[in-house]
Amino acid sequence: MTIDDKPVSEEMARRLAEEGRRVRSFIASNRSDTLLRIFDYLLQQSVEGYRPREAEIAEEVFLDGLTAPGQQGSRVRVGVYRLRKKLDLFYADTQGARLTIPQGEYGLVLETPAEEEEEEKEDAPEEEAPTRRYSRLIVAVVALLLMLNAVSALLYFQRDPSGNAALRHSPLWSPFVGNKVPAFVVIGDYFMFSSKQNESSAAMVIQDMSINSADAFYEYVTMHPGMQATLRNQDIYAVSAGILGPISRLSSYLGPVALKPATSSELEQKPDMMKSSRIIYVGALDALAPWLSGPLFQASGFRCGTRCYDIFDKTSGRRFRSDSPYQLGDRIVPRRDYGYIASFPGPSGNQIVILSGTGDAGVRQMVSVVTDPKMVAQLHRRIGGGMRSFEALYQVRTMFDQSYGSRLLIARTIKSDHIWDKTRRDP
């Protein structure tokens, strides 16, 4: 067997196949048939000692009648790039040999971490480093904020044991107290990308809500080949500054709970977090990770419109529309937002709580609600049952992103028994 005239031993072919079987389940869990087909094809060819050409991959993998050579090549390159990213995620926290796709080649090889690190140093574009440091800095700042508030809260609860006892008896927060299962506060973040017209121009960071993920970005540039030279994915994710204060307040209130920070994009890339963690999501509805939004909106009595500025009650058809700044004209002050709270069990029974809304004001007010024992008790009475599986919608008085009180509109239990049996990715 040979690849590029280099012998591939029977032992190496066997190791490639074994590692491929181990990785395949992770690729399949991303629910992208295209990525799985590319992986299977490259693995088969690599085990057989053959490195296919771009045209061969296009013919074998993309069977939808797309025959334009330029478009086929573009789809192959984008698909292989995405597959490299998925492999990086799979091996992110592991040591030892790993499957990689060398730059400029279409074949899977088994490499050691040392070889991979050396290759990354040679191939990484210099201009991407500052942006990636920036995206990590956002999470680092939030992590520091959570840590400082957790320490201060812990000192507070040590002085006042009644605070811990109150949480233990809270119908909403008791599943998070006295439990060794990891607890994450997941912060809603937004995908962004850069645009650079030419080498001499400065790069601009762009947020387009219709391109809300790396997969959507690559689909867009594949369908618009003329944009590939100017648009770049540099792993940029932004967190709204308006929700950092509420996160600080929540972490202080839940002092005895050792909260770990994460973001929606991290949760989307690491779905295993859903199986082994308790989760508190804080952020806008349109920043929910698919692993949360899919099961939630299957059970929910609400649905979002084209964007989550509009919420519809599925039974009555009643529409709740936010006065978001994105929806209103100039010089019109937004005065109405909607807050949303939900709680339901995860796939392993670990509790998930959603503190969300149609905008930052709604999110801020929902954090105020759940950190006020009297308002939690009021919500409990309105539901008329336990708070293991429920949802609630509030109308929030606002002035831009500031909230000035709220009114509970709807509170009800939700049927969450089978939402993890067959989960859609999109609401």
Side-chain angles (χ1 to χ4, degrees):
M1 297 184 183
T2 62
I3 293 182
D4 288 350
D5 299 325
K6 296 179 181 179
V8 177
S9 66
E10 295 289 342
E11 173 64 17
M12 178 56 71
R14 182 188 63 79
R15 292 178 60 198
L16 275 170
E18 288 182 354
E19 186 67 9
R21 285 192 292 270
R22 195 170 76 89
V23 174
R24 190 181 188 278
S25 60
F26 173 74
I27 303 297
S29 72
N30 288 273
R31 303 188 182 187
S32 171
D33 292 338
T34 300
L35 280 186
L36 190 58
R37 290 200 304 270
I38 294 175
F39 178 79
D40 287 344
Y41 181 71
L42 292 184
L43 179 62
Q44 176 187 349
Q45 300 304 311
S46 298
V47 169
E48 293 176 358
Y50 179 68
R51 184 149 298 176
R53 298 188 301 274
E54 195 172 84
E56 293 174 310
I57 300 174
E59 182 179 351
E60 293 292 330
V61 174
F62 299 103
L63 308 176
D64 56 359
L66 182 62
T67 57
Q71 288 181 306
Q72 281 186 337
S74 173
R75 295 188 74 181
V76 170
R77 291 189 293 273
V78 168
V80 171
Y81 177 86
R82 290 174 56 200
L83 182 55
R84 283 195 185 97
K85 290 289 187 181
K86 297 302 181 185
L87 290 173
D88 288 344
L89 286 173
F90 179 79
Y91 292 109
D93 300 318
T94 62
Q95 297 180 347
R98 59 182 62 192
L99 288 178
T100 66
I101 304 174
Q103 292 293 332
E105 300 179 9
Y106 295 128
L108 290 163
V109 298
L110 204 58
E111 291 187 346
T112 64
E115 292 170 341
E116 182 183 355
E117 289 171 6
E118 191 64 30
E119 179 179 309
E120 288 178 352
K121 290 178 182 178
E122 294 174 2
D123 294 329
E126 293 182 0
E127 62 190 64
E128 289 190 5
T131 304
R132 291 186 177 180
R133 283 198 297 270
Y134 172 75
S135 62
R136 292 192 184 108
L137 179 61
I138 293 175
V139 179
V141 170
V142 175
L144 179 61
L145 185 67
L146 289 171
M147 181 186 70
L148 293 176
N149 281 282
V151 170
S152 62
L154 181 59
L155 294 175
Y156 170 78
F157 281 107
Q158 285 177 342
R159 292 194 306 267
D160 182 12
S162 62
N164 197 346
L167 288 179
R168 287 183 180 277
H169 290 91
S170 169
L172 178 62
W173 296 120
S174 58
F176 288 84
V177 181
N179 192 325
K180 295 182 179 180
V181 176
F184 286 86
V185 56
V186 176
I187 306 162
D189 63 346
Y190 295 93
F191 174 79
M192 305 177 78
F193 54 93
S194 68
S195 173
K196 191 171 184 179
Q197 298 302 315
N198 52 63
E199 292 303 321
S200 60
S201 64
M204 296 186 299
V205 177
I206 298 173
Q207 181 182 10
D208 184 333
M209 298 303 290
S210 66
I211 305 175
N212 58 4
S213 68
D215 286 350
F217 173 84
Y218 292 123
E219 181 178 351
Y220 178 83
V221 297
T222 298
M223 301 308 295
H224 301 82
M227 303 300 292
Q228 292 181 18
T230 59
L231 301 184
R232 302 177 185 180
N233 172 26
Q234 296 182 302
D235 293 333
I236 308 172
Y237 292 87
V239 173
S240 172
I243 66 173
L244 295 183
I247 291 172
S248 173
R249 181 191 312 165
L250 180 67
S251 63
S252 294
Y253 182 75
L254 298 178
V257 181
L259 292 176
K260 301 178 180 180
T263 62
S264 285
S265 56
E266 286 184 271
L267 185 63
E268 184 173 0
Q269 294 166 357
K270 298 179 180 179
D272 285 350
M273 287 173 59
M274 300 287 295
K275 298 179 182 179
S276 58
S277 309
R278 296 165 296 164
I279 291 174
I280 304 170
Y281 171 80
V282 183
L285 282 170
D286 56 16
L288 270 169
W291 302 113
L292 286 175
S293 63
L296 172 61
F297 282 101
Q298 280 182 243
S300 173
F302 298 107
R303 67 174 179 85
C304 286
T306 305
R307 293 287 311 285
C308 282
Y309 299 134
D310 288 326
I311 298 178
F312 293 86
D313 183 77
K314 292 178 182 178
T315 302
S316 67
R318 184 180 175 186
R319 178 187 185 185
F320 304 92
R321 180 165 183 153
S322 169
D323 288 345
S324 164
Y326 293 101
Q327 301 281 57
L328 301 178
D330 293 340
R331 300 182 180 179
I332 300 178
V333 177
R335 297 182 181 275
R336 178 179 55 189
D337 205 354
Y338 289 94
Y340 178 81
I341 302 174
S343 180
F344 56 99
S348 298
N350 299 324
Q351 199 68 13
I352 297 173
V353 171
I354 307 294
L355 307 178
S356 190
T358 50
D360 285 354
V363 177
R364 294 167 68 95
Q365 186 62 24
M366 294 306 96
V367 172
S368 295
V369 169
V370 299
T371 54
D372 184 333
K374 292 183 179 179
M375 298 192 75
V376 171
Q378 179 192 45
L379 176 58
H380 189 201
R381 290 193 298 271
R382 183 74 172 267
I383 294 170
M387 301 185 80
R388 174 72 168 166
S389 298
F390 79 93
E391 65 180 355
L393 184 71
Y394 289 76
Q395 182 172 312
V396 180
R397 297 190 303 277
T398 70
M399 185 72 72
F400 292 102
D401 65 346
Q402 298 297 314
S403 59
Y404 297 93
S406 58
R407 178 166 61 95
L408 179 57
L409 300 178
I410 297 173
R412 58 195 171 198
T413 58
I414 56 177
K415 296 180 180 180
S416 58
D417 295 343
H418 303 291
I419 60 175
W420 299 104
D421 295 344
K422 185 178 179 182
T423 299
R424 298 187 303 265
R425 281 182 61 84
D426 298 313

